[in-house]
Amino acid sequence: MDTKDDATTAWIRRYHPSGDSTARLICFPHAGGSASFFHPVSVRFSPDTDVIALQYPGRQDRRREPCIEDIGTLADQLAEEIQALSDKPTVFFGHSMGAVLAFETAFRLEQRGLNSPHTVLASGRRAPSTVRDEQVHTRDDRGIISELKLLNGTDSAVFGNDELLSLALPAIRGDYRAIETYAGEPGRRVRCPLTVLTGDNDPRTTLDEAHAWQEHTEGAFRVEVFSGGHFFLADHQDEVNKVIAEALDAARAARTAASP
């Protein structure tokens, strides 16, 4: 079943739907994150761009649904949702766990020849070919909260609100289990260009681990380094938006060039 250009579904959130958009930006949230994280991105790029923020099960209005605790299974489902969209020049943007999901989803869509992105923007995540023994998902609640504070990716008001924490922690734990048990398929590459965005003080991604993404594309590759930690994009919104805008412009130009 096709998903209309102005439709919002359980998986697909459009905060500023527009039938006149000439390109599409699909945003993949981080572990424990939700579609609303990308509301400012939608404000910036709509209505010329169809900005879609993905909503995984287990959070916000989907909190009663079980989390999908396997990256491959979640990427399979996301690919099904995205291939039902109309055909437009598309860019994927994923942060942290979302970077891996953007990559795996792009790979699946390229294999099917349906709605694959012109470019993948992988933010705040080491390359799939790099390996770390990370076990945050096995910690108790206090241990998970310590990790969130280290990465500085959660509103500080949440930490003082037991009710909000109790609602958020199951999804956070489930997402950490998914990303920490993920093992990238050896030699897996996408054909499209790949741009990596990383913080120069990210405790979870070194510069070498960011550059290792080059092994995962047959297209153009570059790394953009920003000052800051894991959530560097909070302090560099304008610069990150510039990278996104360049990718969208390139996607539009490529479609125009390919038209008869």
Side-chain angles (χ1 to χ4, degrees):
M1 183 175 66
D2 293 339
T3 302
K4 295 181 179 179
D5 279 359
D6 60 352
T8 289
T9 71
W11 291 87
I12 292 171
R13 305 301 163 93
R14 286 179 165 109
Y15 298 111
H16 305 89
S18 170
D20 298 325
S21 57
T22 57
R24 176 173 290 127
L25 175 66
I26 301 182
C27 302
F28 296 71
H30 54 280
S34 58
S36 58
F37 180 80
F38 292 105
H39 186 274
V41 177
S42 181
V43 171
R44 164 62 180 82
F45 289 101
S46 300
D48 291 341
T49 299
D50 177 24
V51 180
I52 291 175
L54 297 170
Q55 185 80 309
Y56 314 141
R59 66 219 65 217
Q60 292 186 333
D61 58 326
R62 302 190 72 184
R63 64 185 178 275
R64 291 183 175 83
E65 300 177 48
C67 288
I68 298 177
E69 298 180 349
D70 177 77
I71 291 295
T73 302
L74 186 50
D76 287 341
Q77 183 62 62
L78 293 171
E80 290 291 329
E81 297 293 325
I82 292 170
Q83 74 177 38
L85 299 172
S86 65
D87 179 29
K88 289 188 178 184
T90 298
V91 171
F92 284 1
F93 180 93
H95 184 70
S96 195
M97 181 183 81
V100 171
L101 281 169
F103 168 74
E104 289 288 348
T105 304
F107 176 81
R108 285 158 171 75
L109 291 170
E110 284 186 349
Q111 298 304 300
R112 301 176 190 183
L114 293 167
N115 283 357
S116 59
H118 176 270
T119 302
V120 172
L121 305 177
S123 168
R125 178 67 189 178
R126 57 184 174 82
S129 54
T130 62
V131 178
R132 290 191 183 196
D133 182 17
E134 295 173 327
Q135 299 290 328
V136 175
H137 71 278
T138 65
R139 299 180 188 177
D140 60 14
D141 289 353
R142 183 176 298 178
I144 291 179
I145 291 169
S146 294
E147 175 72 7
L148 298 178
K149 289 180 177 179
L150 171 68
L151 300 183
N152 196 29
T154 301
D155 187 337
S156 59
V158 173
F159 294 125
N161 188 313
D162 291 341
E163 184 177 358
L164 288 178
L165 269 177
S166 67
L167 290 174
L169 279 172
I172 295 168
R173 185 183 299 279
D175 286 354
Y176 268 100
R177 181 176 290 109
I179 193 59
E180 290 180 340
T181 58
Y182 165 76
E185 188 74 23
R188 175 160 291 181
R189 296 183 177 187
V190 291
R191 294 187 291 272
C192 67
L194 179 60
T195 296
V196 173
L197 297 80
T198 191
D200 62 5
N201 195 33
D202 187 341
R204 294 293 175 258
T205 303
T206 67
L207 293 181
D208 285 344
E209 288 173 329
H211 280 276
W213 275 100
Q214 188 166 10
E215 302 173 18
H216 299 283
T217 179
E218 298 172 8
F221 175 80
R222 79 179 202 265
V223 176
E224 297 283 346
V225 181
F226 300 86
S227 62
H230 190 65
F231 280 90
F232 63 88
L233 37 71
D235 297 320
H236 297 281
Q237 191 170 49
D238 289 344
E239 295 98 318
V240 171
N241 284 343
K242 182 179 178 181
V243 175
I244 295 172
E246 290 172 352
L248 287 167
D249 287 345
R252 291 185 177 97
R255 178 63 60 87
T256 299
S259 298

